[in-house]
Amino acid sequence: MTDFALTDSPTTDSPTTGFLVIGESVADIVRTPGRPEVTHPGGSPANVAYGLARLGQPTALLTQLGADPAGRLIAGHLRSAGVRLHTDDGQRTPTAIVTLDQHGSARYAFDIHWTLRDTRLAATPRHVHFGSIAAVREPGAAATLAMVARLRERATVSYDPNVRVQLMGERAAAVTQVERCVALSDLAKASDEDLAWLYPGEPEQSVAARWLALGPAAVLVTRGSQGSVGFTRGGATTAPAPATTVADTVGAGDSFMSATLDALAALGLLGGPARPALAALTADALAGVLHRAAAAAAITVSRPGANPPTAQELRDHPALPDPADVAAPTG
């Protein structure tokens, strides 16, 4: 299944490519009252990679898949969008039973093993995204963090804990691991539900300040129908969630993440050399990014499954600011 170049000894002058996403791919077996069971390709990192590719970004995914029907389904899905795929093959493809209620909200039950090995790349990505189960599930989590730590010397990094309570283990240990991941990141994104489990009773602003002190330039928090907020050292910026009809919420946060990274790329704020500019992100630029990400999430929830927008669909969304029209910060 491999179509992403690897090497045992990359050189320091390896060429810089686009996006690399590291993390799990999952077959989502969706159960909805009154409807037949359906299997969709899923997994938060895989969804982010797919969303980036749909938006026209050159993207590779380092993941694990089994040589089974679910693995073939996911591989075909990712490649259909142009994702370059490298798989560290597992015994079977991870699965999640996704049960939707009458409002389209999802509950998950998982059968996931994550044993990814530390992998050397033939080219340095401009930006690395990681998170979710891949960042906490051993033994693969250690390899994931080792790769991110090595790659961030030349690439910017984003992280999304995408909390799955059944797989996080004991809360205090999970918080320690999550904060280790945040400290490797230039951008951290979480949902309000993620933060409520990790830091029960603690205000979002307090958690964001804690995370910013670990190193990221920005912390983004999604609030479902209540919109989103971005925190930087300069303050907080909010954006509403566009009105939409909800089919289900599967993949909404991942679509938000993909569109965020696409918008930051359009502003020239990704890649190791751009790290100082990302740290100087202005409130106006952040507002444009949040609006674009919210529009992508709104499109995704309007149709079943993790089905993020294409670049054209996002451009056509009404009243959407173009991040290319927002001046990137300097200095």
Side-chain angles (χ1 to χ4, degrees):
M1 289 185 178
T2 298
D3 50 35
F4 185 68
L6 306 173
T7 179
D8 291 329
S9 55
T11 62
T12 56
D13 59 350
S14 297
T16 301
T17 60
F19 288 86
L20 172 67
V21 180
I22 304 173
E24 72 275 2
S25 300
V26 180
D28 288 336
I29 303 168
V30 181
R31 296 174 178 172
T32 306
R35 298 182 185 176
E37 183 176 281
V38 179
T39 300
H40 294 292
S44 177
N47 290 343
V48 171
Y50 184 76
L52 282 166
R54 293 262 287 180
L55 292 173
Q57 295 291 347
T59 305
L61 174 67
L62 177 57
T63 192
Q64 285 187 301
L65 292 173
D68 49 34
R72 290 189 289 273
L73 172 70
I74 292 170
H77 168 75
L78 292 165
R79 289 183 175 130
S80 73
V83 176
R84 291 171 292 143
L85 190 62
H86 174 69
T87 63
D88 183 0
D89 295 338
Q91 292 184 348
R92 62 181 184 274
T93 299
T95 60
I97 304 296
V98 184
T99 303
L100 302 175
D101 64 18
Q102 64 269 30
H103 305 294
S105 294
R107 290 186 295 107
Y108 295 83
F110 297 95
D111 179 12
I112 291 178
H113 302 273
W114 180 247
T115 59
L116 189 76
R117 296 167 292 181
D118 193 346
T119 303
R120 300 277 175 167
L121 307 179
T124 302
R126 180 167 51 133
H127 183 86
V128 178
H129 175 76
F130 77 112
S132 194
I133 298 161
V136 297
R137 192 79 167 177
E138 297 294 0
T144 299
L145 267 64
M147 284 185 278
V148 172
R150 186 169 61 245
L151 291 167
R152 79 178 308 276
E153 295 179 6
R154 296 182 64 191
T156 44
V157 175
S158 56
Y159 167 67
D160 180 0
N162 191 52
V163 169
R164 297 292 179 248
V165 175
Q166 306 96 314
L167 301 174
M168 296 297 288
E170 192 269 329
R171 182 183 279 108
V175 169
T176 297
Q177 182 72 355
V178 165
E179 292 184 352
R180 185 177 295 124
C181 296
V182 170
L184 288 171
S185 306
D186 298 284
L187 174 73
K189 173 256 171 194
S191 70
D192 53 357
E193 293 179 347
D194 293 338
L195 298 186
W197 186 84
L198 290 165
Y199 305 96
E202 190 168 344
E204 289 173 2
Q205 187 168 358
S206 173
V207 176
R210 179 197 303 237
W211 282 13
L212 287 169
L214 294 173
V219 173
L220 310 184
V221 180
T222 57
R223 300 166 168 169
S225 62
Q226 302 305 306
S228 60
V229 57
F231 297 93
T232 67
R233 290 170 183 81
T237 301
T238 60
T244 189
T245 300
V246 177
D248 65 53
T249 61
V250 177
D254 303 323
S255 184
F256 185 99
M257 187 79 249
S258 298
T260 293
L261 297 177
D262 176 66
L264 291 172
L267 291 169
L269 297 179
L270 299 183
R275 189 168 273 129
L278 180 60
L281 181 67
T282 67
D284 285 346
L286 180 56
V289 170
L290 292 176
H291 278 87
R292 189 172 180 82
I299 293 169
T300 301
V301 303
S302 71
R303 49 204 193 191
N307 186 3
T310 63
Q312 186 63 53
E313 287 175 319
L314 194 51
R315 281 194 295 270
D316 290 344
H317 194 274
L320 181 67
D322 187 338
D325 294 334
V326 181
T330 59

